[in-house]
Amino acid sequence: MRFLILILFWVNLFAVSVTYYGGAGEVDGTMALVQYKNTKILIDAGAHINGKNDIPFSVKNIDAVIITHAHTDHIGRLLKLYKKGFRGKIYMTSPTAKLSKIMLEMQNKHSKTLSSVNYVTKLFKTVPFYKKTKIKNINTKIIWIPVFALDRAQKILYEIGLLFQKGLIPQNTKIYLLSPTASKITNLYINNPNWIDNKKAIPTLENTYFRSSEFLKNRYIKSLKPPVIILSTSGMINTANSLRLLPRLVSRKDVLLLFVGYQSPLSFGGKIQCGENPININDKNHTVNLKYKTFHIFSAHGDAKDIDCWLSNNKNSKIFLVHGDLDSLVKRKDDLTSKGFNVNIVKIYHKYTF
């Protein structure tokens, strides 16, 4: 189940979607919106013969337009895009650009929008035949995962290994583990493959970069080229390398922070989860621009379902609830009490006799 959730998350993160706003069950008005993560590219902007040429989406988030050829049913809505606020580049070949200018002038010669054609054509970006053209860098900007040195770091590396096997992570992705302690423990896993039930995940652990001091230099972090996955301790971003990374990454828009463990509300991880913005780090305010996602599936402890299964044959047992937030413990006590169990939430330094 945990791996299935990860697969769904990564598929969603890397999936390409296409939405058609014309040319669907018709021979005119061709226009398709291609989306990859936060990148949006419009393929053609054609007009409909029946005159229904609205733009049913915000154009300000469109990164670029690609024109396949100069027919009106492929370029006829370019002026509409401009009026709606689009100011990005419109890519096409040089012949298509020259033909499109004439076609747009013809289309608008009897309207007040003829002068707008010149503004639109200034957005044209001609590209040669058979030459690859980069429109926008849409690599996985940086994925940062704060982890606990024992168990959580190795568990995440293991899951990353499985995702590599499924082809859901680019093969050129670099993985950095920033923790001397986590590195030592991970090496134990590498040298004891019988500790892991899927030995095929081991090569991923072996290809992990174990760096700390050099990595944390500003010049090194700024020069990082995605796709990159960074694992660092502590898991709550309150000490060690995670805390050192925080001021360097928190204000970057190209960082995706994945929480894979509990975050105390008083920790920096908890503050980010609670939406605190800006956050104060070493008496300096930092704007939170990074994106984050929380997973509740990596706990080393059995969940309520596991415990209920074990308790099913122990109805007469006295239960002591420990290791949890008070609110969560109270809810758990109410749940177990309703099922007929004798439940106590333990108090510190209190001696229980039974």
Side-chain angles (χ1 to χ4, degrees):
M1 183 62 182
R2 179 178 66 204
F3 184 55
L4 176 61
I5 293 173
L6 278 175
I7 285 181
L8 292 174
F9 170 74
W10 283 96
V11 166
N12 180 65
L13 182 62
F14 292 105
V16 175
S17 67
V18 182
T19 306
Y20 293 91
Y21 293 96
E26 55 191 352
V27 294
D28 62 348
T30 300
M31 187 163 67
L33 181 62
V34 179
Q35 294 180 253
Y36 179 68
K37 290 181 278 192
N38 294 322
T39 297
K40 297 181 179 181
I41 296 175
L42 201 62
I43 310 297
D44 287 333
H48 287 97
I49 297 173
N50 60 17
K52 293 181 180 179
N53 292 312
D54 59 322
I55 307 292
F57 51 82
S58 173
V59 304
K60 293 183 179 179
N61 295 323
I62 303 297
D63 294 286
V65 177
I66 298 175
I67 298 298
T68 59
H69 63 284
H71 285 162
T72 300
D73 60 343
H74 288 259
I75 66 169
R77 276 189 272 184
L78 285 178
L79 265 66
K80 288 269 188 179
L81 285 174
Y82 185 87
K83 287 183 176 181
K84 286 279 189 176
F86 175 75
R87 296 296 184 270
K89 293 180 180 179
I90 305 172
Y91 292 85
M92 62 190 76
T93 62
S94 179
T96 299
K98 292 175 182 177
L99 291 169
S100 293
K101 185 175 187 299
I102 295 173
M103 295 298 290
L104 288 172
E105 289 173 343
M106 179 195 72
Q107 178 190 0
N108 296 278
K109 65 181 179 180
H110 298 304
S111 69
K112 298 179 182 179
T113 61
L114 183 59
S115 60
S116 298
V117 173
N118 291 328
Y119 294 112
V120 173
T121 56
K122 287 180 181 179
L123 301 179
F124 287 3
K125 173 70 175 179
T126 60
V127 294
F129 284 100
Y130 310 117
K131 183 177 180 181
K132 184 182 293 186
T133 302
K134 180 181 286 188
I135 294 177
K136 181 184 177 184
N137 186 353
I138 54 176
N139 283 325
T140 307
K141 304 312 178 211
I142 297 168
I143 295 178
W144 178 27
I145 312 177
V147 293
F148 305 116
L150 173 60
D151 178 72
R152 200 59 47 89
Q154 295 75 40
K155 194 172 288 183
I156 296 300
L157 286 171
Y158 171 76
E159 299 291 349
I160 289 174
L162 296 179
L163 291 168
F164 264 111
Q165 292 177 31
K166 296 290 183 180
L168 296 174
I169 296 179
Q171 292 299 311
N172 63 332
T173 301
K174 291 185 177 179
I175 305 169
Y176 295 92
L177 179 60
L178 306 184
S179 167
T181 302
S183 298
K184 292 177 183 177
I185 295 171
T186 302
N187 280 324
L188 284 175
Y189 277 71
I190 292 173
N191 295 323
N192 296 274
N194 58 302
W195 291 8
I196 300 176
D197 60 5
N198 187 342
K199 296 181 181 181
K200 293 181 180 180
I202 295 295
T204 300
L205 304 182
E206 291 176 336
N207 293 334
T208 301
Y209 293 82
F210 300 100
R211 298 189 181 182
S212 290
S213 57
E214 182 181 354
F215 187 95
L216 291 168
K217 294 177 181 177
N218 278 328
R219 60 178 176 79
Y220 192 91
I221 295 176
K222 289 180 180 179
S223 66
L224 275 179
K225 294 183 179 180
V228 172
I229 299 176
I230 305 169
L231 283 71
S232 63
T233 54
S234 68
M236 296 188 194
I237 323 182
N238 56 346
T239 60
N241 286 329
S242 290
L243 183 56
R244 297 184 185 98
L245 278 175
L246 183 61
R248 295 168 169 83
L249 299 180
V250 70
S251 297
R252 291 179 58 158
K253 296 180 179 180
D254 60 349
V255 174
L256 174 62
L257 173 61
L258 302 184
F259 290 115
V260 294
Y262 170 74
Q263 305 295 312
S264 166
L266 299 179
S267 69
F268 284 113
K271 290 177 180 179
I272 292 174
Q273 279 187 330
C274 293
E276 186 171 321
N277 193 3
I279 59 173
N280 188 281
I281 309 168
N282 297 326
D283 297 323
K284 183 178 179 181
N285 284 334
H286 294 260
T287 302
V288 179
N289 289 327
L290 55 72
K291 303 176 184 67
Y292 69 90
K293 173 78 175 179
T294 301
F295 292 94
H296 299 286
I297 55 176
F298 289 102
S299 176
H301 305 281
D303 59 17
K305 185 178 179 180
D306 295 329
I307 296 171
D308 285 356
C309 181
W310 183 81
L311 286 173
S312 61
N313 296 319
N314 294 274
K315 281 282 187 178
N316 296 325
S317 298
K318 183 175 289 188
I319 298 173
F320 296 89
L321 297 181
V322 299
H323 206 74
D325 286 331
L326 183 58
D327 289 345
S328 298
L329 294 175
V330 170
K331 292 178 182 178
R332 184 64 174 139
K333 178 182 178 180
D334 292 342
D335 178 54
L336 288 172
T337 301
S338 68
K339 296 175 181 177
F341 291 101
N342 183 357
V343 184
N344 295 274
I345 298 176
V346 301
K347 298 178 181 178
I348 195 165
Y349 306 132
H350 184 81
K351 184 177 180 179
Y352 295 89
T353 303
F354 55 94

PDB file of all heavy atoms in Angstrom, residues 153-165:
ATOM      1  N   ALA A 153      15.780   6.961   6.891  1.00  0.00           N
ATOM      2  CA  ALA A 153      16.660   7.234   5.750  1.00  0.00           C
ATOM      3  C   ALA A 153      16.770   6.007   4.854  1.00  0.00           C
ATOM      4  O   ALA A 153      16.652   6.092   3.626  1.00  0.00           O
ATOM      5  CB  ALA A 153      18.043   7.671   6.242  1.00  0.00           C
ATOM      6  N   GLN A 154      16.990   4.847   5.466  1.00  0.00           N
ATOM      7  CA  GLN A 154      17.157   3.617   4.697  1.00  0.00           C
ATOM      8  C   GLN A 154      15.841   3.206   4.022  1.00  0.00           C
ATOM      9  O   GLN A 154      15.826   2.698   2.901  1.00  0.00           O
ATOM     10  CB  GLN A 154      17.667   2.489   5.598  1.00  0.00           C
ATOM     11  CG  GLN A 154      19.058   2.725   6.159  1.00  0.00           C
ATOM     12  CD  GLN A 154      19.066   3.757   7.280  1.00  0.00           C
ATOM     13  OE1 GLN A 154      18.185   3.789   8.124  1.00  0.00           O
ATOM     14  NE2 GLN A 154      20.087   4.599   7.293  1.00  0.00           N
ATOM     15  N   LYS A 155      14.741   3.439   4.709  1.00  0.00           N
ATOM     16  CA  LYS A 155      13.426   3.083   4.155  1.00  0.00           C
ATOM     17  C   LYS A 155      13.131   3.929   2.918  1.00  0.00           C
ATOM     18  O   LYS A 155      12.630   3.425   1.901  1.00  0.00           O
ATOM     19  CB  LYS A 155      12.355   3.296   5.227  1.00  0.00           C
ATOM     20  CG  LYS A 155      11.008   2.664   4.908  1.00  0.00           C
ATOM     21  CD  LYS A 155      10.088   2.752   6.113  1.00  0.00           C
ATOM     22  CE  LYS A 155      10.513   1.801   7.210  1.00  0.00           C
ATOM     23  NZ  LYS A 155       9.593   1.823   8.366  1.00  0.00           N
ATOM     24  N   ILE A 156      13.468   5.222   2.977  1.00  0.00           N
ATOM     25  CA  ILE A 156      13.231   6.103   1.837  1.00  0.00           C
ATOM     26  C   ILE A 156      14.130   5.724   0.666  1.00  0.00           C
ATOM     27  O   ILE A 156      13.695   5.684  -0.489  1.00  0.00           O
ATOM     28  CB  ILE A 156      13.452   7.575   2.242  1.00  0.00           C
ATOM     29  CG1 ILE A 156      12.423   7.999   3.295  1.00  0.00           C
ATOM     30  CG2 ILE A 156      13.361   8.487   1.015  1.00  0.00           C
ATOM     31  CD1 ILE A 156      10.985   7.889   2.859  1.00  0.00           C
ATOM     32  N   LEU A 157      15.408   5.412   0.959  1.00  0.00           N
ATOM     33  CA  LEU A 157      16.312   4.985  -0.106  1.00  0.00           C
ATOM     34  C   LEU A 157      15.808   3.707  -0.775  1.00  0.00           C
ATOM     35  O   LEU A 157      15.904   3.527  -1.991  1.00  0.00           O
ATOM     36  CB  LEU A 157      17.717   4.777   0.451  1.00  0.00           C
ATOM     37  CG  LEU A 157      18.507   6.050   0.771  1.00  0.00           C
ATOM     38  CD1 LEU A 157      19.784   5.700   1.522  1.00  0.00           C
ATOM     39  CD2 LEU A 157      18.842   6.816  -0.504  1.00  0.00           C
ATOM     40  N   TYR A 158      15.272   2.822   0.035  1.00  0.00           N
ATOM     41  CA  TYR A 158      14.719   1.568  -0.483  1.00  0.00           C
ATOM     42  C   TYR A 158      13.552   1.843  -1.429  1.00  0.00           C
ATOM     43  O   TYR A 158      13.473   1.287  -2.536  1.00  0.00           O
ATOM     44  CB  TYR A 158      14.277   0.698   0.697  1.00  0.00           C
ATOM     45  CG  TYR A 158      13.487  -0.532   0.311  1.00  0.00           C
ATOM     46  CD1 TYR A 158      14.126  -1.642  -0.228  1.00  0.00           C
ATOM     47  CD2 TYR A 158      12.115  -0.573   0.493  1.00  0.00           C
ATOM     48  CE1 TYR A 158      13.402  -2.771  -0.574  1.00  0.00           C
ATOM     49  CE2 TYR A 158      11.384  -1.703   0.145  1.00  0.00           C
ATOM     50  CZ  TYR A 158      12.035  -2.797  -0.389  1.00  0.00           C
ATOM     51  OH  TYR A 158      11.312  -3.898  -0.739  1.00  0.00           O
ATOM     52  N   GLU A 159      12.641   2.727  -1.000  1.00  0.00           N
ATOM     53  CA  GLU A 159      11.485   3.059  -1.832  1.00  0.00           C
ATOM     54  C   GLU A 159      11.922   3.761  -3.112  1.00  0.00           C
ATOM     55  O   GLU A 159      11.360   3.530  -4.195  1.00  0.00           O
ATOM     56  CB  GLU A 159      10.508   3.949  -1.052  1.00  0.00           C
ATOM     57  CG  GLU A 159       9.925   3.326   0.201  1.00  0.00           C
ATOM     58  CD  GLU A 159       8.970   2.185  -0.084  1.00  0.00           C
ATOM     59  OE1 GLU A 159       8.587   2.006  -1.259  1.00  0.00           O
ATOM     60  OE2 GLU A 159       8.596   1.466   0.860  1.00  0.00           O
ATOM     61  N   ILE A 160      12.939   4.633  -3.015  1.00  0.00           N
ATOM     62  CA  ILE A 160      13.466   5.293  -4.202  1.00  0.00           C
ATOM     63  C   ILE A 160      14.008   4.252  -5.171  1.00  0.00           C
ATOM     64  O   ILE A 160      13.839   4.359  -6.391  1.00  0.00           O
ATOM     65  CB  ILE A 160      14.558   6.310  -3.809  1.00  0.00           C
ATOM     66  CG1 ILE A 160      13.920   7.522  -3.102  1.00  0.00           C
ATOM     67  CG2 ILE A 160      15.332   6.786  -5.043  1.00  0.00           C
ATOM     68  CD1 ILE A 160      14.933   8.500  -2.543  1.00  0.00           C
ATOM     69  N   GLY A 161      14.660   3.224  -4.633  1.00  0.00           N
ATOM     70  CA  GLY A 161      15.164   2.145  -5.468  1.00  0.00           C
ATOM     71  C   GLY A 161      14.064   1.462  -6.250  1.00  0.00           C
ATOM     72  O   GLY A 161      14.209   1.166  -7.442  1.00  0.00           O
ATOM     73  N   LEU A 162      12.939   1.215  -5.596  1.00  0.00           N
ATOM     74  CA  LEU A 162      11.801   0.589  -6.273  1.00  0.00           C
ATOM     75  C   LEU A 162      11.239   1.496  -7.364  1.00  0.00           C
ATOM     76  O   LEU A 162      10.850   1.032  -8.434  1.00  0.00           O
ATOM     77  CB  LEU A 162      10.714   0.248  -5.250  1.00  0.00           C
ATOM     78  CG  LEU A 162      11.078  -0.791  -4.179  1.00  0.00           C
ATOM     79  CD1 LEU A 162       9.894  -0.992  -3.233  1.00  0.00           C
ATOM     80  CD2 LEU A 162      11.490  -2.108  -4.792  1.00  0.00           C
ATOM     81  N   LEU A 163      11.198   2.803  -7.089  1.00  0.00           N
ATOM     82  CA  LEU A 163      10.701   3.752  -8.080  1.00  0.00           C
ATOM     83  C   LEU A 163      11.627   3.822  -9.288  1.00  0.00           C
ATOM     84  O   LEU A 163      11.178   3.977 -10.428  1.00  0.00           O
ATOM     85  CB  LEU A 163      10.537   5.136  -7.442  1.00  0.00           C
ATOM     86  CG  LEU A 163       9.412   5.245  -6.405  1.00  0.00           C
ATOM     87  CD1 LEU A 163       9.518   6.559  -5.635  1.00  0.00           C
ATOM     88  CD2 LEU A 163       8.046   5.140  -7.066  1.00  0.00           C
ATOM     89  N   PHE A 164      12.939   3.709  -9.043  1.00  0.00           N
ATOM     90  CA  PHE A 164      13.899   3.638 -10.147  1.00  0.00           C
ATOM     91  C   PHE A 164      13.595   2.428 -11.023  1.00  0.00           C
ATOM     92  O   PHE A 164      13.604   2.511 -12.252  1.00  0.00           O
ATOM     93  CB  PHE A 164      15.323   3.520  -9.601  1.00  0.00           C
ATOM     94  CG  PHE A 164      16.047   4.838  -9.519  1.00  0.00           C
ATOM     95  CD1 PHE A 164      16.334   5.399  -8.292  1.00  0.00           C
ATOM     96  CD2 PHE A 164      16.453   5.497 -10.663  1.00  0.00           C
ATOM     97  CE1 PHE A 164      17.007   6.610  -8.206  1.00  0.00           C
ATOM     98  CE2 PHE A 164      17.126   6.708 -10.594  1.00  0.00           C
ATOM     99  CZ  PHE A 164      17.406   7.269  -9.355  1.00  0.00           C
ATOM    100  N   GLN A 165      13.334   1.298 -10.385  1.00  0.00           N
ATOM    101  CA  GLN A 165      13.059   0.063 -11.133  1.00  0.00           C
ATOM    102  C   GLN A 165      11.822   0.195 -12.007  1.00  0.00           C
ATOM    103  O   GLN A 165      11.750  -0.377 -13.096  1.00  0.00           O
ATOM    104  CB  GLN A 165      12.877  -1.106 -10.165  1.00  0.00           C
ATOM    105  CG  GLN A 165      14.143  -1.518  -9.435  1.00  0.00           C
ATOM    106  CD  GLN A 165      13.862  -2.632  -8.446  1.00  0.00           C
ATOM    107  OE1 GLN A 165      12.985  -3.452  -8.661  1.00  0.00           O
ATOM    108  NE2 GLN A 165      14.609  -2.661  -7.367  1.00  0.00           N
TER     109      GLN A 165
END
